[in-house]
Amino acid sequence: MRSKSTNISFAGIKKDDVVAFLLIFSAVVFIYMGMLSYPFIWDDSISITDNPGFGTLTYIKDLFTGHFFDAGLPYSFGTDTGFYRPLVGVSFVLDKMIWGMNAYGFRLTNIMLHIFTAYLFYFFMKRIKFNFYYALIGALIYAIHPIHIGSVAYISGRTDVLRTFFMLLAIFSYWDKKNVTSLVFFAFSLLTKEDAVVLPGVLLGLDVIINKKLSKSVVWFILLSAIYMIMRRYYLNFSDIRSLDINICFLGTLAASLLEYLRIIIFPYDLHFERFFPVIKSVPIAIAFIVMTVLFILLIINRNKHDRRAMFSLFSFAVIFFPVSNFFPIYNQYRYFYIFLADHFMYFPMMFLIILFACIVERLNSAVTKYGYKMILVILAISFLVFHFKYSKSWINSEMLYTHIEEESEFPFRAYNNLAAYYAEKGDPRCLQYLEKLRRIMPPDYTTYYITKANWHYFKEKNIDESIKTLNDAINNGVRNSSVYFPLGDMYFEVNDIREAVKTYELGISVTKSENYIIFFRLGFFYTKLGDIENLKKAEKWFEESLIINPENMDITKYLYNTRKKIYDESHPKIKELEHIFKKKVN
């Protein structure tokens, strides 16, 4: 049942490989093309449609120097998730250049990436000595599994697909001893999603378990991972440290969540984009799940210990699953109540579960089993298609997606938040209902509650005083976020309370450590409205700070020039300096 070839590479693509590509392509197109007409949704608005800087040079620079969701925005989300994904943002910009602001084109890119990723998986299975049929069936199961909808149909879900694509290319290059090429693809995967940092573990498994020989080259990959982690900590200032509170109930919850992921993969009848899994409170139940999980793993090891592919797949799954296992809680603030699971976390790990399943089926090669497993595969394929089309309907628009999450999630605070924002934008009073639901389950310093409520008062009720009160309530309740301070400062300016606007902006800059040139420019502009020389000098200072960050911006230069003219005489060197810049620009 195994392939006779031991070294299948892209240079030797055969007729079977062409057939495999056409079948994978057709299957993916069949199940996903109906979703091409779906609009931008959820985080797509932050990254793309509602981002004022999207596609600009500033946006590109922000992608490589800070948090993914802050790129192009005049404020920071103040989140501690540490998303550093510049290549995802760059891919969105390329989509815009090709397709314009058309969700159809962005989503088509996701679908094509998914096709090529599934095709790479087909070659991966052949490379570890599965025959054509096993490799094809494995790749098709992977390609059509409904658990991937959140990564493929969701434009912002591209992080999982692109990261996996680059990691597979890195693995193939490493296999072929093209270490420089492999390191480049590894670097690309690190710049796509942070959990790619575990790739050296997979390469170690490849060396020790599959090749039975440890390559010295893996040291370079470990070194690159270390450099990346140091860069995150000391250059990007991301805090990747999570509180660790290990106890029996916590470990039991992790064991139960692993079994839940396996259940979702085999029986994906209740898919939704995110799920909060309740922390087990009973010690006996926790111990039962730990024992059950350990026995399950030991049984798999015992039955497959002589199959290097099975041991490699089990080891690699453990390595890749670890960053999303919640051993270090993903949502640290809720770790005593829930751990966070997400269907899309399985995009890459699922490949190794399919390999493990293929090893088990290949070993059970009696006639009865042979027909039995074929029937099982047919039933699985049909059920996957049914669940796929059922789940895909929830992605038709934002309201349907958030409502679906609300109905399915144990702790739907993000669904409440998103529905409140969605209805606020539509001017629908249901916004207030969801804000109230949010208030009841969230701590008093939950930022988004106040932002959405303030926006409702400001944009829909035209009640700026109530908006100001709401944002002040946020600060009084411990919110320390730029998306509260700076909108509040703008509102004070709008009601002509310039001194309060200045005070709020300066406090916001101090608390959030903002280094955004637009914020500095706005503060300088506020100071010019106060008029006296002392405040004009402060305006000059903030315009200069803004210009340091964005030296090519002529609007800032003009404001700085006009401010200096009010402070200094015409012959002052600071005036002449700017006049020289203007002449240089004209020439």
Side-chain angles (χ1 to χ4, degrees):
M1 295 292 288
R2 295 185 183 180
S3 171
K4 294 179 181 179
S5 174
T6 58
N7 186 27
I8 297 170
S9 66
F10 294 112
I13 293 180
K14 302 172 183 177
K15 180 180 177 181
D16 284 350
D17 302 328
V18 175
V19 170
F21 177 78
L22 292 176
L23 288 172
I24 293 168
F25 179 87
S26 300
V28 174
V29 168
F30 174 70
I31 62 174
Y32 280 106
M33 289 305 281
M35 303 178 75
L36 280 175
S37 60
Y38 291 4
F40 291 105
I41 201 169
W42 206 340
D43 288 340
D44 298 344
S45 62
I46 301 171
S47 305
I48 305 169
T49 55
D50 296 340
N51 190 317
F54 178 65
T56 64
L57 289 177
T58 300
Y59 174 81
I60 301 294
K61 177 193 169 193
D62 289 348
L63 284 171
F64 284 92
T65 57
H67 192 287
F68 177 67
F69 286 122
D70 289 347
L73 298 176
Y75 54 84
S76 169
F77 275 87
T79 177
D80 63 352
T81 50
F83 290 164
Y84 184 63
R85 302 168 179 181
L87 289 192
V88 177
V90 169
S91 74
F92 289 157
V93 174
L94 292 175
D95 275 336
K96 180 186 176 183
M97 294 170 63
I98 297 170
W99 308 104
M101 292 299 288
N102 190 333
Y104 176 101
F106 284 74
R107 193 165 281 107
L108 182 61
T109 300
N110 280 25
I111 292 170
M112 293 307 299
L113 280 170
H114 181 57
I115 289 170
F116 286 115
T117 300
Y119 194 44
L120 284 175
F121 179 48
Y122 158 80
F123 276 105
F124 189 87
M125 290 192 70
K126 290 188 74 174
R127 188 72 179 258
I128 57 176
K129 301 181 181 179
F130 283 105
N131 69 20
F132 168 73
Y133 296 102
Y134 276 86
L136 175 60
I137 291 170
L140 283 172
I141 288 174
Y142 179 81
I144 69 170
H145 200 289
I147 203 171
H148 299 322
I149 289 178
S151 298
V152 182
Y154 178 35
I155 293 168
S156 291
R158 183 178 302 176
T159 52
D160 297 295
V161 187
L162 193 58
R163 178 274 320 258
T164 302
F165 179 71
F166 284 138
M167 287 180 80
L168 285 174
L169 288 175
I171 291 170
F172 274 108
S173 300
Y174 182 83
W175 225 330
D176 293 333
K177 302 188 184 306
K178 298 175 181 178
N179 293 324
V180 174
T181 304
S182 184
L183 280 167
V184 170
F185 284 129
F186 179 35
F188 285 171
S189 65
L190 288 171
L191 295 175
T192 303
K193 194 173 182 183
E194 43 286 332
D195 58 7
V197 73
V198 300
L199 179 64
V202 178
L203 300 182
L204 277 170
L206 195 65
D207 281 342
V208 175
I209 301 173
I210 296 293
N211 298 330
K212 289 190 172 180
K213 182 180 179 182
L214 182 61
S215 170
K216 294 179 181 178
S217 302
V218 77
V219 173
W220 293 107
F221 294 84
I222 296 172
L223 181 61
L224 183 56
S225 285
I227 292 170
Y228 171 77
M229 295 302 292
I230 292 169
M231 180 191 74
R232 285 177 62 88
R233 181 67 185 89
Y234 296 103
Y235 173 65
L236 298 170
N237 296 314
F238 286 166
S239 176
D240 293 316
I241 299 172
R242 296 284 189 269
S243 298
L244 191 59
D245 185 13
I246 299 176
N247 54 57
I248 293 296
C249 287
F250 177 72
L251 293 176
T253 304
L254 296 188
S257 70
L258 174 59
L259 297 177
E260 174 69 0
Y261 271 126
L262 295 177
R263 195 277 303 164
I264 293 169
I265 289 171
I266 299 170
F267 303 110
Y269 60 85
D270 61 342
L271 291 171
H272 57 96
F273 191 68
E274 59 179 34
R275 56 188 77 219
F276 284 85
F277 194 76
V279 171
I280 295 171
K281 301 298 183 183
S282 167
V283 172
I285 293 176
I287 292 174
F289 273 110
I290 293 171
V291 171
M292 193 186 315
T293 303
V294 170
L295 289 176
F296 179 64
I297 293 171
L298 289 176
L299 177 64
I300 292 175
I301 292 174
N302 182 61
R303 292 298 182 91
N304 296 276
K305 58 189 175 185
H306 299 301
D307 191 331
R308 283 181 287 158
R309 300 166 306 169
M311 293 298 96
F312 168 67
S313 65
L314 192 62
F315 175 79
S316 297
F317 174 82
V319 169
I320 295 169
F321 180 70
F322 181 75
V324 295
S325 67
N326 282 275
F327 187 82
F328 295 99
I330 295 171
Y331 277 96
N332 201 36
Q333 63 270 46
Y334 311 122
R335 67 185 183 277
Y336 298 115
F337 310 102
Y338 298 95
I339 62 171
F340 181 69
L341 312 184
D343 299 342
H344 64 94
F345 287 167
M346 290 293 102
Y347 190 81
F348 193 19
M350 185 179 162
M351 288 184 177
F352 297 98
L353 293 179
I354 291 174
I355 292 171
L356 183 60
F357 177 71
C359 291
I360 294 170
V361 170
E362 188 182 71
R363 185 172 55 83
L364 302 173
N365 57 4
S366 68
V368 175
T369 306
K370 196 179 295 183
Y371 292 110
Y373 92 77
K374 287 180 180 178
M375 183 169 291
I376 291 172
L377 287 176
V378 170
I379 293 171
L380 282 177
I382 293 173
S383 64
F384 289 165
L385 289 174
V386 170
F387 293 135
H388 191 287
F389 288 114
K390 175 178 175 283
Y391 180 42
S392 65
K393 292 178 181 178
S394 65
W395 289 84
I396 289 176
N397 58 47
S398 297
E399 182 180 18
M400 292 186 69
L401 176 62
Y402 304 150
T403 302
H404 179 72
I405 294 172
E406 178 193 9
E407 292 169 350
E408 298 288 344
S409 180
E410 289 275 348
F411 183 46
F413 81 96
R414 296 218 298 183
Y416 291 163
N417 174 74
N418 290 331
L419 282 166
Y422 176 83
Y423 289 129
E425 184 180 343
K426 301 293 183 184
D428 190 324
R430 281 179 286 181
C431 163
L432 300 177
Q433 297 174 21
Y434 280 100
L435 283 173
E436 180 59 23
K437 288 183 178 182
L438 197 60
R439 186 192 64 78
R440 289 174 183 170
I441 65 172
M442 297 305 293
D445 63 346
Y446 185 61
T447 305
T448 315
Y449 164 77
Y450 297 102
I451 295 171
T452 304
K453 188 175 180 181
N455 286 340
W456 173 265
H457 291 312
Y458 182 82
F459 292 107
K460 301 305 175 183
E461 296 181 345
K462 310 299 181 185
N463 189 338
I464 194 169
D465 291 334
E466 197 61 35
S467 290
I468 290 173
K469 178 181 179 300
T470 298
L471 294 179
N472 273 314
D473 286 344
I475 294 171
N476 293 335
N477 280 301
V479 174
R480 300 292 180 263
N481 193 293
S482 58
S483 52
V484 169
Y485 284 107
F486 302 126
L488 178 59
D490 291 337
M491 289 180 189
Y492 277 127
F493 182 80
E494 191 171 334
V495 297
N496 208 33
D497 192 343
I498 309 299
R499 294 191 182 280
E500 239 358 270
V502 166
K503 177 182 173 183
T504 306
Y505 256 66
E506 289 195 325
L507 182 60
I509 291 171
S510 172
V511 170
T512 65
K513 311 299 182 188
S514 175
E515 293 186 1
N516 188 287
Y517 79 94
I518 297 176
I519 298 299
F520 292 170
F521 172 78
R522 291 282 295 169
L523 182 53
F525 178 72
F526 292 167
Y527 270 117
T528 63
K529 296 301 179 180
L530 293 173
D532 57 273
I533 293 297
E534 182 182 348
N535 283 309
L536 286 172
K537 286 184 177 180
K538 290 179 180 178
E540 177 191 23
K541 175 213 169 205
W542 286 110
F543 287 145
E544 288 171 348
E545 292 286 340
S546 182
L547 206 55
I548 288 171
I549 300 171
N550 193 350
E552 300 299 318
N553 192 305
M554 290 306 295
D555 289 331
I556 302 172
T557 307
K558 288 175 184 176
Y559 271 92
L560 178 59
Y561 175 71
N562 291 332
T563 302
R564 284 180 175 176
K565 284 181 69 176
K566 295 176 182 177
I567 303 172
Y568 310 106
D569 59 50
E570 294 289 337
S571 61
H572 196 282
K574 286 190 173 182
I575 302 291
K576 297 297 182 183
E577 173 196 1
L578 295 179
E579 288 178 346
H580 176 71
I581 292 174
F582 288 138
K583 287 179 182 178
K584 192 175 179 181
K585 285 287 183 182
V586 170
N587 295 331

